[in-house]
Amino acid sequence: MRMRPTLSWTPVEGLPPGTTDPGPVVDALGAGGVLVLSGAGLSTESGIPDYRGEGGSLSRHTPMTYQDFTASARARRRYWARSHLGWRTFGRARPNAGHRSVAAFGRHGLLSGVITQNVDGLHQAGGSEGVVELHGSLDRVVCLSCGAFSPRRDLARRLEEANPGFAPVAAGINPDGDADLTYEQVRDFRVVPCAACGGVLKPDVVFFGEAVPPARVEHCRELVRGATSLLVLGSSLTVMSGLRFVRQAAQAGKPVLIVNRDPTRGDRHAVTRVALPLGATLTTVAEHLGIPVGDRAGS
């Protein structure tokens, strides 16, 4: 029986509310060895909405699942039409103060690593190095038949050529790059096959209902084992792909700190949750540590 992905959870009652004191985050970073785990909330200030926050995209759409994508040519047409339009918005997004702060922490040797659940590449654009993309990246495409990888920009060019004049108005853009379009807007969209073998192309991202590659999971587990503490930024931790690392850290006695305005599925494992906007909070933390946060990567 096909299982639908976990899209929501019920907050645990009796947990303390979030705090507005970023002090514990300052202390953790000051001690060094912090592993960052980021989610969609870190990119909202760059114009990319999250899934579950106020106005989150799950309130208006259900993300494409791996099972639907692989089983239906119609679903693939819908996905690629919407993603092709959404890619233009992703291409214009720029790192915000949160991304730049994380990069600054890394440059000053305070981090043991960065794991992101995001597929937008903004950590790297903000100056972070060695980022583990837990769910892949929208800037790469993979063929499900021959396994060949290719740049998303090449596919974008081919889709432009196959669909001249395609410029519908979207109701919104989602964290996975999927634009909100109606069936009428996508029904005539032409999907192009793999240039190497004619197979089905898929973005190199982990869809809902799809498993993260085991080697990638183990690499992340190793990063948790080597970290002093775990700092979660902008993730509700609803899906197990990220929550498992929070549980691992807590079970190993490593402090888990969360910066997220809304309650998360990992709050019971955390020593604190700072319920403040990410960009301003991380900039404040950097100021307390005497670390400048530039406007550009590497500044």
Side-chain angles (χ1 to χ4, degrees), residues 13-26:
E13 296 183 359
L15 292 177
T19 179
T20 57
D21 176 18
V25 177
V26 174

Side-chain angles (χ1 to χ4, degrees), residues 140-241:
R140 298 185 300 272
V141 179
V142 62
C143 175
L144 296 182
S145 297
C146 70
F149 289 89
S150 57
R152 179 63 180 266
R153 63 178 179 274
D154 291 352
L155 176 62
R157 174 184 52 78
R158 294 178 62 207
L159 289 174
E160 291 283 358
E161 294 171 352
N163 299 276
F166 180 76
V169 177
I173 303 295
N174 306 311
D176 54 3
D178 187 12
D180 289 329
L181 298 174
T182 65
Y183 169 73
E184 288 72 21
Q185 290 175 301
V186 307
R187 63 184 175 186
D188 296 324
F189 190 82
R190 293 184 59 197
V191 177
V192 298
C194 172
C197 75
V200 171
L201 294 175
K202 173 184 173 292
D204 187 27
V205 300
V206 177
F207 281 179
F208 281 84
E210 183 179 6
V212 178
R216 194 178 303 165
V217 173
E218 180 53 33
H219 178 44
C220 293
R221 289 197 180 280
E222 184 62 31
L223 289 175
V224 174
R225 285 191 284 270
T228 302
S229 59
L230 179 64
L231 176 60
V232 180
L233 304 176
S235 176
S236 67
L237 300 169
T238 297
V239 295
M240 187 55 65
S241 63

Side-chain angles (χ1 to χ4, degrees), residues 41-275:
L42 186 64
S43 293
T44 56
E45 294 175 33
S46 293
I48 299 175
D50 63 10
Y51 285 110
R52 299 173 181 83
E54 183 177 353
S57 66
L58 288 183
S59 64
R60 63 177 185 271
H61 96 300
T62 298
M64 176 66 67
T65 66
Y66 179 79
Q67 292 81 6
D68 289 340
F69 184 88
T70 54
S72 168
R74 177 174 175 175
R76 291 192 292 274
R77 180 174 68 245
R78 168 187 171 273
Y79 174 82
W80 278 121
R82 293 162 60 118
S83 184
H84 180 55
L85 185 64
W87 175 248
R88 299 170 184 170
T89 297
F90 263 56
R92 292 192 296 268
R94 294 294 179 265
N96 61 53
H99 299 109
R100 295 193 298 272
S101 295
V102 171
F105 299 149
R107 288 195 300 273
H108 284 76
L110 306 183
L111 304 182
S112 64
V114 177
I115 302 170
T116 185
Q117 296 172 284
N118 299 338
V119 296
D120 52 37
L122 291 178
H123 269 301
Q124 295 91 323
S128 291
E129 298 180 354
V131 178
V132 179
E133 296 173 315
L134 186 63
H135 295 155
S137 176
L138 280 174
D139 69 0
R140 298 185 300 272
V141 179
V142 62
C143 175
L144 296 182
S145 297
C146 70
F149 289 89
S150 57
R152 179 63 180 266
R153 63 178 179 274
D154 291 352
L155 176 62
R157 174 184 52 78
R158 294 178 62 207
L159 289 174
E160 291 283 358
E161 294 171 352
N163 299 276
F166 180 76
V169 177
I173 303 295
N174 306 311
D176 54 3
D178 187 12
D180 289 329
L181 298 174
T182 65
Y183 169 73
E184 288 72 21
Q185 290 175 301
V186 307
R187 63 184 175 186
D188 296 324
F189 190 82
R190 293 184 59 197
V191 177
V192 298
C194 172
C197 75
V200 171
L201 294 175
K202 173 184 173 292
D204 187 27
V205 300
V206 177
F207 281 179
F208 281 84
E210 183 179 6
V212 178
R216 194 178 303 165
V217 173
E218 180 53 33
H219 178 44
C220 293
R221 289 197 180 280
E222 184 62 31
L223 289 175
V224 174
R225 285 191 284 270
T228 302
S229 59
L230 179 64
L231 176 60
V232 180
L233 304 176
S235 176
S236 67
L237 300 169
T238 297
V239 295
M240 187 55 65
S241 63
L243 180 63
R244 59 183 148 198
F245 305 124
V246 169
R247 289 178 173 175
Q248 177 189 349
Q251 289 169 359
K254 300 174 187 286
V256 175
L257 304 96
I258 300 174
V259 183
N260 200 69
R261 285 197 287 187
D262 298 320
T264 82
R265 195 178 175 191
D267 285 0
R268 70 172 74 182
H269 305 292
V271 297
T272 188
R273 177 174 63 85
V274 180

